[in-house]
Amino acid sequence: MDSLVERFRSGDRRALARLITRAENRSPGFAETLDAIYGSTGRGFRIGVTGPPGAGKSTIVDGLAAAFRAAGDSVAVLAIDPTSPFTGGALLGDRIRMRCTEDDSNIFVRSMATRGSLGGLARATVDAADLLDAFGYKQIMIETVGVGQAEHDVMTASDVVLVILYPGGGDSVQAMKAGLMEIADIFVVNKSDHPAADRLVDDIEQMLELRARRDAWRPPVVQCVATERRGIAELVLRIENYKSAREAAGDLAARRRERREAQVRRAIEEELALLLFEKSGFQDYITRELDRRRPPYAIAAEVVNLIKNSLKHAI
């Protein structure tokens, strides 16, 4: 692991890829490695890209990557794909649509499977983004699974969230009511050469009038035809405007602190679950109590009380 970290610090992309794999697999020593590189994070800007399937997320990401590279920025892409509940595998095919990644050493694309994680992201997404950040990538894009209403994890993983919608894709307003309105910092209406595009833009604007945000930012609506790269330049400008406005207001630092808090909670939950059910006798205890026909919540309450009593003198 020490050799990998040294190669990572010297700019070895293979070492970066291997460390991401170790973070995904929760290999021994991965947490210590992430702690070691933590001081080098905070320079990259993380862009979450979400929306329903077929909206053109990968094509938007490809266009943004090309625009960022034209401006001289290094770019990393984390493309999250769903894991099959039947085979346990994932297609990991997002890079097929990313034309600009060919023969460019300043663009790094990594496909990641959700491995059963809910919320649209893989469990190790934030860890992988930290590695990319510490490696020196300036623009880090995180493309979610794209299941629509379950994409809320992208809020805590990203500095800005782009919600991609497209006309003719069903009842987009209903989807927005179910949660996408709350997570969007910028709306992108892709395939805006469609006759119904203006209607969709109007619908989004009307919904924005009815929804209050906790900050003063009003999400803009950008129209794009991603396959032709139309609207990408305006989208880049909107992202830059968002970053500047949030930095000036202090909201970006607060958002990043929330991300770290969520990361700490997640790490604690994973370690406690491992401790309780794999490294202790609690699983045997639960099985024994269920065999005695005790109610599930009574068993759970008893376990929690035991943990509470143990923690009283520990913290």
Side-chain angles (χ1 to χ4, degrees):
M1 186 67 79
D2 291 339
S3 173
L4 271 180
V5 173
E6 288 179 11
R7 289 165 48 198
F8 170 88
R9 294 190 186 280
S10 67
D12 187 335
R13 284 161 56 101
R14 290 187 179 181
L16 167 63
R18 290 185 64 185
L19 286 176
I20 292 176
T21 298
R22 292 188 177 226
E24 283 188 282
N25 294 335
R26 287 333 201 218
S27 301
F30 88 93
E32 290 77 8
T33 300
L34 289 169
D35 287 344
I37 61 96
Y38 178 73
S40 300
T41 63
R43 296 171 294 178
F45 190 68
R46 307 183 189 193
I47 303 169
V49 182
T50 188
K57 294 186 295 296
S58 296
T59 312
I60 291 286
V61 167
D62 182 66
L64 286 173
F68 289 138
R69 285 297 300 124
D73 292 343
S74 56
V75 179
V77 179
L78 291 174
I80 315 302
D81 284 294
T83 299
S84 168
F86 302 104
T87 65
L91 179 59
L92 305 180
D94 294 85
R95 68 185 64 192
I96 296 171
R97 302 185 184 92
M98 298 180 187
R99 296 169 294 171
C100 75
T101 62
E102 299 175 1
D103 303 321
D104 191 335
S105 60
N106 287 300
I107 297 181
F108 182 93
V109 180
R110 176 66 177 239
S111 295
M112 300 176 68
T114 57
R115 302 188 181 194
S117 177
L118 302 177
L121 297 180
R123 180 178 61 177
T125 300
V126 173
D127 297 336
D130 283 347
L131 287 164
L132 294 168
D133 189 347
F135 196 79
Y137 286 102
K138 187 172 182 180
Q139 306 288 352
I140 302 168
M141 288 185 280
I142 303 170
E143 181 190 340
T144 74
V145 167
V147 292
Q149 299 173 16
E151 301 291 274
H152 303 96
D153 282 358
V154 74
M155 290 180 65
T156 55
S158 310
D159 295 320
V160 61
V161 176
L162 314 182
V163 170
I164 317 297
L165 298 171
Y166 66 105
D171 191 353
S172 298
V173 174
Q174 187 61 37
M176 288 188 286
K177 288 179 182 177
L180 287 182
M181 291 298 296
E182 286 79 4
I183 69 173
D185 297 308
I186 300 173
F187 282 101
V188 181
V189 175
N190 193 25
K191 309 178 185 180
S192 61
D193 51 352
H194 190 283
D198 290 340
R199 172 61 184 276
L200 177 56
V201 172
D202 289 341
D203 288 342
I204 296 171
E205 294 285 1
Q206 290 179 26
M207 293 295 296
L208 288 172
E209 293 291 337
L210 301 174
R211 297 275 179 166
R213 285 173 60 102
R214 61 180 179 176
D215 55 34
W217 177 258
R218 178 185 170 87
V221 183
V222 180
Q223 296 192 56
C224 288
V225 181
T227 54
E228 301 175 10
R229 302 278 170 86
R230 285 161 50 190
I232 295 297
E234 181 186 353
L235 180 55
V236 170
L237 180 61
R238 296 290 190 174
I239 293 171
E240 292 173 350
N241 290 345
Y242 172 86
K243 181 181 180 183
S244 298
R246 297 301 89 205
E247 284 178 337
D251 295 332
L252 188 57
R255 186 162 180 163
R256 289 176 173 176
R257 186 170 56 251
E258 289 176 1
R259 177 164 68 234
R260 293 306 174 199
E261 290 174 356
Q263 195 173 16
V264 171
R265 287 195 299 270
R266 184 167 56 250
I268 292 173
E269 289 168 359
E270 289 178 358
E271 288 299 320
L272 284 178
L274 185 67
L275 179 66
L276 282 174
F277 300 111
E278 295 186 24
K279 295 184 178 179
S280 71
F282 271 116
Q283 185 59 57
D284 292 338
Y285 167 78
I286 292 169
T287 301
R288 185 172 64 252
E289 294 303 300
L290 285 173
D291 288 343
R292 292 175 53 197
R293 304 286 296 173
R294 287 192 63 197
Y297 284 102
I299 301 172
E302 190 166 336
V303 171
V304 170
N305 285 330
L306 288 171
I307 296 171
K308 285 181 178 179
N309 292 330
S310 300
L311 287 174
K312 281 181 180 179
H313 305 289
I315 299 178

